[in-house]
Amino acid sequence: MSQYIHVAENEGNEPMEVPSEDDGTLLLTTLSAQFPGACGLKYRNHETGTIRGLRLSDGRLYPPDTDWGRQVYIVVFPKGEKTNKENSHTSSEPTLLVKPYKRFERQKCSDLIVLGLPWKSSEDDLRKYFQQFGELLMVQVKKDPKSGQSKGFGFVRFAEYDSQVKCMSQRHMIDGRWCDVRIPNSKEGAQQMMNRKVFVGRCTEEMTAEDLRQYFSKFGEVVDVFIPKPFRAFAFVSFADPETAQGLCGEDHIIKGASVHISGAAPKASEKYDRRMVPSHGHVPYQGSWGPGRGGNPNHTNSNLGVAGGIGNNMGIGNLGLGALQLNHAMLAAAQAVLSSQTGWGPLGLTHQSGGATTNGDQLVVATTTAAPHSISTSYAPAPMGTSNGAVVTGAGGGNNSFLGWGNQSAEMPPAPHTVTTSQVPSWGSMPAKAGSGWN
DNA sequence: GTTGAGCGTT
């Protein structure tokens, strides 16, 4: 019979309850859903005082006795893969196994768009279907407010990144139709400039300034919250530390049951731009220590830098080994070096529609490996939309893209990762091109 | 009551 088992990440930590199966075993997947990376369980045997490991067979953990009892079990992680939390205060543990690009990886969930839903599918239907991948924090079916009719797409949000990866690695048959799950376009260009103020989109009217302050204070000191009146469904939150703000950019958070999107706050002048043409307020030069410098005129195209964001969202998908290509400062700098001679923003948000032919001239674009053709199998799972690799490639005509290297980096630029090779840039040349890029 | 590429009351 099923019961709840008390599990903690470390001895002395607050335990959480995870459910066992009907046969009394605990699925390793259940455990790793709550403790990503977990590979086993152990507990302290109070008769002998020693730590005792649990039997693991066929992905199932077996209780030490006939049942699990009320004791607290400790999660076992593979050696060298302890949690960050732990690494920060156990200096004895060597951190050699932490790959250099880990710091730029964001194994965090984001909202996922579900495309192609049957008109009749409800949020309940979606929840029932998607919970097979893991705990869901949010399910939405977008409907016409008047008729209540579904628009045929929705959003889901998983609690665990592993669930998200698993979910995005395949197509989905939902109520008789094949549906696609992708990172929404709104995640594109998620890289934001160093700023202490963030834009909080999709706010609900229930969210007060105090709510927002309270919520965001757990990430750092909040120095200001601004909610426009009348209600405009967004807010600005300013932190004392720009790093805090920066760290939140590109993320979705759930506040009062609603999914808000956090991105860098743009100057008011940007409001005249169509956001679809200028992804994520990003047309302002990066204002950190390594960019083109402060004070650039945001309206001057040559100071613009087009880099599709999507940070780390495709890690682990299809084992493409794209980790080293995750967007980071070095890549931004390199891309910037190339693009500064271009005519400003590339049509980053829509390259997935045009098969790659984008800008004029030398066809240097910042790669956006975006929409997946339906025929691509999970063994070659494409990067989801908006999860750019950030690499500079030749993009003309949808042919075999080749990595151009890092260009001529100036001395102020951080070193590029040395692990990048051409083989790590997937070719999307086989993707079907569609007529009309939508850009004019 | 119809439809089938897209992108969330910024």
Side-chain angles (χ1 to χ4, degrees), chain A residues 106 193-198 219-220 239-249 286 329:
Chain A
R106 286 214 208 163
M193 50 240 124
M194 195 67 82
N195 197 320
R196 65 190 63 214
K197 186 194 281 186
V198 295
F219 304 105
F239 293 92
D241 179 9
E243 293 275 333
T244 310
Q246 182 72 9
L248 291 167
C249 283
Y286 184 88
H329 287 184

Side-chain angles (χ1 to χ4, degrees), chain A residues 170-236:
Chain A
Q170 64 173 79
R171 296 232 292 152
H172 306 274
M173 176 60 77
I174 301 174
D175 295 336
R177 270 183 64 93
W178 284 108
C179 302
D180 294 302
V181 173
R182 301 177 190 159
I183 303 278
N185 279 347
S186 52
K187 303 293 178 301
E188 289 180 351
Q191 183 69 5
Q192 301 299 335
M193 50 240 124
M194 195 67 82
N195 197 320
R196 65 190 63 214
K197 186 194 281 186
V198 295
F199 178 92
V200 184
R202 301 200 302 268
C203 290
T204 64
E205 214 154 2
E206 282 77 66
M207 294 174 197
T208 65
E210 191 45 44
D211 289 334
L212 294 178
R213 179 181 293 273
Q214 209 168 69
Y215 177 83
F216 284 106
S217 289
K218 64 186 177 198
F219 304 105
E221 185 191 345
V222 174
V223 296
D224 187 50
V225 176
F226 176 77
I227 298 179
K229 276 181 249 175
F231 175 67
R232 290 224 278 154
F234 64 88
F236 290 105

Side-chain angles (χ1 to χ4, degrees), chain A residues 150-392:
Chain A
S150 162
K151 290 183 176 167
F153 71 96
F155 293 87
V156 296
R157 173 85 180 256
F158 288 102
E160 300 294 337
Y161 185 75
D162 285 356
S163 313
Q164 168 168 328
V165 168
K166 196 161 35 142
C167 181
M168 287 202 307
S169 69
Q170 64 173 79
R171 296 232 292 152
H172 306 274
M173 176 60 77
I174 301 174
D175 295 336
R177 270 183 64 93
W178 284 108
C179 302
D180 294 302
V181 173
R182 301 177 190 159
I183 303 278
N185 279 347
S186 52
K187 303 293 178 301
E188 289 180 351
Q191 183 69 5
Q192 301 299 335
M193 50 240 124
M194 195 67 82
N195 197 320
R196 65 190 63 214
K197 186 194 281 186
V198 295
F199 178 92
V200 184
R202 301 200 302 268
C203 290
T204 64
E205 214 154 2
E206 282 77 66
M207 294 174 197
T208 65
E210 191 45 44
D211 289 334
L212 294 178
R213 179 181 293 273
Q214 209 168 69
Y215 177 83
F216 284 106
S217 289
K218 64 186 177 198
F219 304 105
E221 185 191 345
V222 174
V223 296
D224 187 50
V225 176
F226 176 77
I227 298 179
K229 276 181 249 175
F231 175 67
R232 290 224 278 154
F234 64 88
F236 290 105
V237 175
S238 302
F239 293 92
D241 179 9
E243 293 275 333
T244 310
Q246 182 72 9
L248 291 167
C249 283
E251 293 182 0
D252 294 305
H253 288 243
I254 292 173
I255 304 176
K256 286 194 156 179
S259 170
V260 301
H261 181 67
I262 303 168
S263 55
K268 287 170 190 162
S270 72
E271 297 303 321
K272 64 187 175 192
Y273 284 98
D274 182 350
R275 290 183 197 286
R276 297 178 73 103
M277 302 285 288
V278 186
S280 289
H281 336 264
H283 54 281
V284 176
Y286 184 88
Q287 298 183 352
S289 55
W290 53 266
R294 295 164 185 273
N297 178 359
N299 298 329
H300 190 264
T301 52
N302 277 358
S303 51
N304 293 342
L305 165 61
V307 173
I311 304 161
N313 282 315
N314 58 355
M315 279 307 297
I317 298 176
N319 292 323
L320 288 177
L322 296 173
L325 290 176
Q326 294 309 304
L327 191 60
N328 61 28
H329 287 184
M331 287 187 286
L332 270 170
Q336 191 159 25
V338 175
L339 286 171
S340 59
S341 62
Q342 296 288 308
T343 53
W345 289 91
L348 298 170
L350 292 171
T351 48
H352 63 282
Q353 294 286 14
S354 58
T358 51
T359 60
N360 297 321
D362 292 324
Q363 303 295 353
L364 298 177
V365 301
V366 174
T368 60
T369 53
T370 53
H374 297 172
S375 57
I376 287 187
S377 70
T378 54
S379 63
Y380 194 66
M385 292 178 67
T387 58
S388 153
N389 300 322
V392 181

